[in-house]
Amino acid sequence: MSKTRIKTYDKIIIESLKLFNEHGERAITTNHISAHLGISPGNLYYHFRNKEEIVFQIFREYEAFIREQLTPPADRAPTVDDLSRYLDAIFQGFWRFRFMFDDLPGLLSRNPQMQAEYHHFIGTELQPMMIAFLKGFQQSGFLRFDDEETISLLAVNIWIVVKFWYAFEQSAKPKVPISPDTGRRGARQVLALMRPYVSADHLESFKALDARYR
Amino acid sequence: MSKTRIKTYDKIIIESLKLFNEHGERAITTNHISAHLGISPGNLYYHFRNKEEIVFQIFREYEAFIREQLTPPADRAPTVDDLSRYLDAIFQGFWRFRFMFDDLPGLLSRNPQMQAEYHHFIGTELQPMMIAFLKGFQQSGFLRFDDEETISLLAVNIWIVVKFWYAFEQSAKPKVPISPDTGRRGARQVLALMRPYVSADHLESFKALDARYR
């Protein structure tokens, strides 16, 4: 692979992501992308067969980002600082790839390969990652749970609030454009879900964390 | 208004709701609706100017349903039975009007009049209703909160889980059609949100309620 080829390939990904985020994925065609980049449609098609392939590659970058940021530490229990880093990473990820979450079911239904990979990612990686992360906090004494079921119900509620936070804000305040601040409010909603389970001797550091998102 | 006119008007609403729920609102045109009813398109247009007007009337029925079911009792604090009735009503409402929640932001953006009324309904009715309902449970001693902020954070989290429950289930299990059982699982997720705030002497009746949705 020549240097130029890599460059154009990456440029298409980067600029498509920008265009999708600004205008919505449905409004953007491969013609818009090639015009925006000042390359010929033929040059774009040399790298990607169609728009779905571009979207799919962007999705893979999102997956890699989440995997890198959210894998719990293997050698120690997670700390409050880890929690802060996780929250930042989650909402930064949503922000950076926000076009994907405007209408995820629609996007997936138009892209069966991505749909399959998405469900595989959620089922075999993200869900176990979230459970591992809550159990890690239980081990470290930061969170206390009465039983396993409480953990799995909480994991689902966290997942729903995280996943739909931007959509919720958008439909509650359609005139207010989404900003990184939206993510900070989202982080506080997630912390509110965890707060009842924070053990007494970690409440102060938890409150300090919460204050950082105010 | 003659009897026939009322009948046709209502029939259009009822059958459109069925068609929208089965096939999605975007896939159904006024022609589909009139053909399904065995009436002429002209007869349909005598009652409704366009599809948006039908959708808007259905939305008003949803609003009326929620208003009727969720208004907290004026003369007494709500009981655990009320909570059960509320949960049933919320998820029944979502089920009965499920096409609206497939892509609510999209639906609203295509129907500005409905968008305005929706936001008015949420802001001036539904949000205060939810706060009143949590405070009613605080008064009756069923729930305990440390401060006002806890109540408003919880109200938002309940609202997100309720609003996006079907979308969440649909994207998590795209092959499994949504059923009334989906609503029961949703009710348990909402109860999991409230559980940390249930006071000790009401925990038994809370568990009994939770068991009803298993």
Side-chain angles (χ1 to χ4, degrees), chain B residues 2 8 29 32 37 47 117 123 130 146-147 149 173 186 192 210:
Chain B
S2 75
T8 306
T29 64
H32 291 125
L37 281 163
H47 296 284
E117 185 155 325
M130 279 193 53
D146 288 343
D147 48 44
E149 199 188 24
K173 300 163 193 157
D210 185 60

Side-chain angles (χ1 to χ4, degrees), chain A residues 2-51:
Chain A
S2 76
K3 204 183 160 193
T4 329
R5 185 171 170 197
I6 296 173
K7 263 181 79 182
T8 307
Y9 183 95
D10 287 345
K11 257 197 203 160
I12 293 170
I13 296 280
I14 292 165
E15 296 302 318
S16 297
L17 176 56
K18 261 191 217 164
L19 291 172
F20 294 158
N21 279 340
E22 266 170 49
H23 307 283
E25 175 262 344
R26 295 201 82 156
I28 297 297
T29 63
T30 48
N31 282 344
H32 291 126
I33 298 166
S34 54
H36 177 80
L37 281 163
I39 63 176
S40 68
N43 193 353
L44 187 143
Y45 286 119
Y46 173 73
H47 297 284
F48 295 95
R49 262 177 311 152
N50 50 38
K51 188 175 74 170

Side-chain angles (χ1 to χ4, degrees), chain A residues 26 103 105 108 115 118-119 146 149 153 156-157 159-161 163-165 167-168 171-174 188-189 192-193 195-197 214, chain B residues 26 103 105 108 115 118-119 146 149 153 156-157 159-161 163-165 167-168 171-174 188-189 192-193 195-197 214:
Chain A
R26 295 201 82 156
D103 172 28
L108 294 176
Q115 182 164 58
Y118 176 79
H119 292 297
D146 288 342
E149 198 188 26
L153 288 165
V156 168
N157 280 334
W159 181 230
I160 294 174
V161 170
K163 178 169 178 176
F164 293 104
W165 178 246
F168 175 76
S171 72
K173 300 164 194 155
R188 291 205 70 219
Q189 290 299 138
L193 292 173
R195 174 157 184 169
Y197 305 101
R214 268 173 200 275
Chain B
R26 294 200 82 154
D103 172 29
L108 293 176
Q115 183 164 57
Y118 176 78
H119 292 298
D146 288 343
E149 199 188 24
L153 288 165
V156 169
N157 280 334
W159 182 229
I160 295 174
V161 170
K163 179 169 177 176
F164 293 105
W165 177 247
F168 175 77
S171 73
K173 300 163 193 157
R188 291 205 70 219
Q189 289 300 137
L193 292 172
R195 174 156 186 173
Y197 306 101
R214 270 173 197 274

Side-chain angles (χ1 to χ4, degrees), chain A residues 32-104:
Chain A
H32 291 126
I33 298 166
S34 54
H36 177 80
L37 281 163
I39 63 176
S40 68
N43 193 353
L44 187 143
Y45 286 119
Y46 173 73
H47 297 284
F48 295 95
R49 262 177 311 152
N50 50 38
K51 188 175 74 170
E52 280 60 46
E53 216 172 276
I54 302 176
V55 171
F56 191 40
Q57 279 314 312
I58 294 177
F59 166 71
R60 289 213 154 146
E61 293 206 359
Y62 171 72
E63 249 186 0
F65 174 83
I66 291 294
R67 191 178 289 129
E68 194 191 306
Q69 301 284 327
L70 257 67
T71 304
D75 49 346
R76 57 172 179 82
T79 65
V80 178
D81 284 339
D82 289 319
L83 175 56
S84 172
R85 230 170 346 94
Y86 291 162
L87 286 173
D88 289 344
I90 290 170
F91 287 102
Q92 268 166 27
F94 274 97
W95 172 246
R96 230 170 97 182
F97 298 90
R98 61 194 172 282
F99 84 89
M100 293 199 324
F101 303 97
D102 279 350
D103 172 28
L104 187 61

Side-chain angles (χ1 to χ4, degrees), chain A residues 128-153:
Chain A
M129 226 184 259
M130 278 194 52
I131 302 277
F133 144 97
L134 290 174
K135 285 193 175 167
F137 280 124
Q138 186 180 30
Q139 262 177 357
S140 74
F142 180 64
L143 299 178
R144 299 183 68 149
F145 301 106
D146 288 342
D147 47 45
E148 290 271 317
E149 198 188 26
T150 305
I151 299 179
S152 54
L153 288 165

